[in-house]
Amino acid sequence: MIAPTVRAARRPPAWCGTRPADFYLVAGTGDEFCLPCRPGSGGRAFDVITCIHRAGNLFTLNPTQLAGRCQLDPTALPPDSREARLITGAFHFSGRLSWHKPRWATSHAEAKWWIVFHNRLAVPVAWQPEVEATPLLILDLADHRPLLIRLLSRLRRS
Protein backbone atom coordinates (compact mmCIF):
# COMPACT_ATOMS: atom_id res chain seq x y z
CA MET A 1 0.00 0.00 0.00
CA ILE A 2 2.79 2.45 0.78
CA ALA A 3 5.38 1.17 -1.72
CA PRO A 4 4.44 3.48 -4.64
CA THR A 5 4.90 6.66 -2.58
CA VAL A 6 7.39 5.78 0.18
CA ARG A 7 10.50 7.87 0.72
CA ALA A 8 13.09 8.16 3.48
CA ALA A 9 13.27 11.39 5.49
CA ARG A 10 15.48 12.69 8.30
CA ARG A 11 12.48 14.16 10.14
CA PRO A 12 8.89 13.02 10.60
CA PRO A 13 6.09 15.02 8.93
CA ALA A 14 4.95 18.10 10.87
CA TRP A 15 1.72 16.37 11.98
CA CYS A 16 3.58 13.43 13.54
CA GLY A 17 4.56 13.70 17.20
CA THR A 18 6.62 10.51 17.35
CA ARG A 19 9.74 9.94 19.40
CA PRO A 20 13.15 10.40 17.75
CA ALA A 21 14.34 7.72 15.32
CA ASP A 22 17.34 7.28 13.04
CA PHE A 23 15.17 8.07 10.01
CA TYR A 24 11.55 7.91 8.91
CA LEU A 25 9.77 6.30 6.01
CA VAL A 26 7.03 8.67 4.89
CA ALA A 27 4.35 7.58 2.43
CA GLY A 28 0.84 8.00 1.09
CA THR A 29 -1.19 10.83 -0.29
CA GLY A 30 -0.15 13.95 1.59
CA ASP A 31 2.46 12.00 3.58
CA GLU A 32 -0.27 10.32 5.63
CA PHE A 33 1.94 7.45 6.91
CA CYS A 34 5.06 7.79 9.06
CA LEU A 35 7.20 4.77 9.95
CA PRO A 36 10.04 5.55 12.39
CA CYS A 37 13.06 3.31 11.71
CA ARG A 38 16.24 2.19 13.47
CA PRO A 39 19.23 0.11 12.40
CA GLY A 40 18.20 -3.42 11.56
CA SER A 41 18.63 -6.64 13.41
CA GLY A 42 18.86 -10.20 12.17
CA GLY A 43 20.57 -9.24 8.93
CA ARG A 44 18.02 -6.58 7.93
CA ALA A 45 19.13 -3.09 6.91
CA PHE A 46 16.58 -1.43 9.20
CA ASP A 47 13.65 -2.18 11.49
CA VAL A 48 10.39 -0.27 11.40
CA ILE A 49 9.48 0.63 14.99
CA THR A 50 5.81 1.36 14.35
CA CYS A 51 3.40 2.71 11.74
CA ILE A 52 1.64 6.00 12.46
CA HIS A 53 -1.21 7.34 10.35
CA ARG A 54 -2.05 11.01 10.23
CA ALA A 55 -5.69 10.25 11.09
CA GLY A 56 -4.84 7.67 13.77
CA ASN A 57 -6.52 9.75 16.47
CA LEU A 58 -9.87 9.42 14.67
CA PHE A 59 -9.82 5.66 15.28
CA THR A 60 -9.81 6.14 19.06
CA LEU A 61 -12.86 8.42 19.28
CA ASN A 62 -16.06 7.37 21.03
CA PRO A 63 -19.31 7.57 19.01
CA THR A 64 -20.22 11.09 20.16
CA GLN A 65 -16.75 12.43 19.39
CA LEU A 66 -16.70 10.61 16.06
CA ALA A 67 -20.07 12.08 15.07
CA GLY A 68 -18.65 15.54 15.76
CA ARG A 69 -15.82 14.94 13.29
CA CYS A 70 -18.19 13.88 10.48
CA GLN A 71 -20.26 15.69 7.93
CA LEU A 72 -22.84 14.24 5.57
CA ASP A 73 -22.33 14.52 1.82
CA PRO A 74 -25.23 16.88 1.05
CA THR A 75 -25.71 15.55 -2.48
CA ALA A 76 -26.00 11.89 -1.41
CA LEU A 77 -27.53 12.42 2.04
CA PRO A 78 -29.65 15.58 2.26
CA PRO A 79 -30.01 16.72 5.91
CA ASP A 80 -33.78 16.10 5.98
CA SER A 81 -33.57 12.61 4.42
CA ARG A 82 -34.51 9.38 6.18
CA GLU A 83 -30.94 8.13 5.72
CA ALA A 84 -29.43 11.23 7.35
CA ARG A 85 -31.75 10.86 10.35
CA LEU A 86 -30.89 7.16 10.64
CA ILE A 87 -27.15 7.89 10.60
CA THR A 88 -27.46 10.70 13.13
CA GLY A 89 -29.52 8.49 15.41
CA ALA A 90 -27.09 5.58 15.12
CA PHE A 91 -24.28 7.71 16.58
CA HIS A 92 -26.26 7.99 19.83
CA PHE A 93 -25.74 4.27 20.47
CA SER A 94 -22.54 3.21 18.72
CA GLY A 95 -20.10 3.87 15.92
CA ARG A 96 -16.45 3.11 15.37
CA LEU A 97 -14.14 4.01 12.54
CA SER A 98 -12.76 0.95 10.76
CA TRP A 99 -10.06 0.40 8.16
CA HIS A 100 -12.21 -2.34 6.64
CA LYS A 101 -15.58 -2.54 4.93
CA PRO A 102 -18.06 -4.86 6.63
CA ARG A 103 -18.44 -8.11 4.65
CA TRP A 104 -22.11 -7.43 4.05
CA ALA A 105 -21.68 -3.87 2.72
CA THR A 106 -21.34 -2.97 -0.94
CA SER A 107 -18.05 -1.35 -1.89
CA HIS A 108 -17.94 2.39 -2.43
CA ALA A 109 -15.31 3.75 -4.83
CA GLU A 110 -14.60 6.93 -2.85
CA ALA A 111 -14.48 5.32 0.60
CA LYS A 112 -11.20 5.46 2.50
CA TRP A 113 -12.68 3.91 5.67
CA TRP A 114 -16.00 2.84 7.14
CA ILE A 115 -17.93 3.75 10.26
CA VAL A 116 -19.61 0.62 11.56
CA PHE A 117 -22.59 0.69 13.92
CA HIS A 118 -23.75 -2.17 16.16
CA ASN A 119 -27.11 -2.67 14.43
CA ARG A 120 -25.76 -3.71 10.99
CA LEU A 121 -25.58 -0.20 9.69
CA ALA A 122 -22.39 1.21 8.22
CA VAL A 123 -21.33 4.28 6.31
CA PRO A 124 -18.45 4.67 3.86
CA VAL A 125 -16.37 7.77 4.57
CA ALA A 126 -13.91 9.85 2.60
CA TRP A 127 -11.04 11.48 4.45
CA GLN A 128 -10.57 15.22 3.98
CA PRO A 129 -7.45 16.11 6.01
CA GLU A 130 -7.68 19.72 4.85
CA VAL A 131 -11.02 20.10 6.70
CA GLU A 132 -9.68 19.92 10.26
CA ALA A 133 -12.95 20.22 12.17
CA THR A 134 -14.85 17.58 10.16
CA PRO A 135 -12.34 15.52 8.15
CA LEU A 136 -14.71 12.58 7.61
CA LEU A 137 -17.28 12.93 4.84
CA ILE A 138 -20.09 10.36 5.05
CA LEU A 139 -20.83 9.24 1.50
CA ASP A 140 -23.71 6.80 1.76
CA LEU A 141 -25.56 4.39 4.03
CA ALA A 142 -25.26 0.60 4.04
CA ASP A 143 -28.35 -0.72 5.82
CA HIS A 144 -28.15 -4.46 6.41
CA ARG A 145 -30.71 -4.68 9.19
CA PRO A 146 -33.33 -7.41 8.88
CA LEU A 147 -36.19 -6.54 6.52
CA LEU A 148 -38.78 -6.45 9.30
CA ILE A 149 -36.71 -3.95 11.32
CA ARG A 150 -36.27 -1.73 8.25
CA LEU A 151 -40.01 -1.79 7.52
CA LEU A 152 -40.92 -0.98 11.13
CA SER A 153 -38.42 1.86 11.13
CA ARG A 154 -40.01 3.35 8.00
CA LEU A 155 -43.51 3.01 9.42
CA ARG A 156 -42.53 4.80 12.65
CA ARG A 157 -41.07 7.72 10.70
CA SER A 158 -44.04 8.17 8.34
Side-chain angles (χ1 to χ4, degrees), residues 115-127:
I115 296 174
V116 181
F117 301 98
H118 77 282
N119 57 352
R120 299 192 54 92
L121 292 174
V123 293
V125 295
W127 182 46

Side-chain angles (χ1 to χ4, degrees), residues 71-84 87 123-124 137-141:
Q71 60 179 308
L72 298 173
D73 180 349
T75 57
L77 300 161
D80 58 341
S81 68
R82 179 189 68 81
E83 292 85 358
I87 293 166
V123 293
L137 179 65
I138 298 174
L139 304 167
D140 201 358
L141 171 65

Side-chain angles (χ1 to χ4, degrees), residues 56-134:
N57 63 323
L58 295 174
F59 288 84
T60 64
L61 299 177
N62 68 41
T64 303
Q65 294 167 328
L66 186 57
R69 303 301 303 272
C70 294
Q71 60 179 308
L72 298 173
D73 180 349
T75 57
L77 300 161
D80 58 341
S81 68
R82 179 189 68 81
E83 292 85 358
R85 289 190 305 272
L86 191 57
I87 293 166
T88 303
F91 275 114
H92 292 288
F93 303 103
S94 66
R96 65 174 174 76
L97 189 60
S98 173
W99 290 93
H100 307 288
K101 172 186 82 62
R103 287 179 301 157
W104 45 263
T106 304
S107 295
H108 194 287
E110 297 173 48
K112 176 104 173 157
W113 304 304
W114 287 76
I115 296 174
V116 181
F117 301 98
H118 77 282
N119 57 352
R120 299 192 54 92
L121 292 174
V123 293
V125 295
W127 182 46
Q128 309 173 111
E130 68 281 357
V131 184
E132 278 190 45
T134 53

Side-chain angles (χ1 to χ4, degrees), residues 13-28:
W15 59 263
C16 186
T18 187
R19 65 180 186 231
D22 291 323
F23 70 98
Y24 305 86
L25 294 178
V26 180

Side-chain angles (χ1 to χ4, degrees), residues 5-59:
T5 60
V6 72
R7 64 182 168 73
R10 291 185 186 272
R11 294 190 191 118
W15 59 263
C16 186
T18 187
R19 65 180 186 231
D22 291 323
F23 70 98
Y24 305 86
L25 294 178
V26 180
T29 307
D31 293 343
E32 65 188 273
F33 291 95
C34 178
L35 295 91
C37 300
R38 63 179 173 217
S41 60
R44 294 183 297 254
F46 62 89
D47 289 333
V48 173
I49 299 167
T50 190
C51 179
I52 304 165
H53 192 276
R54 183 174 175 185
N57 63 323
L58 295 174
F59 288 84

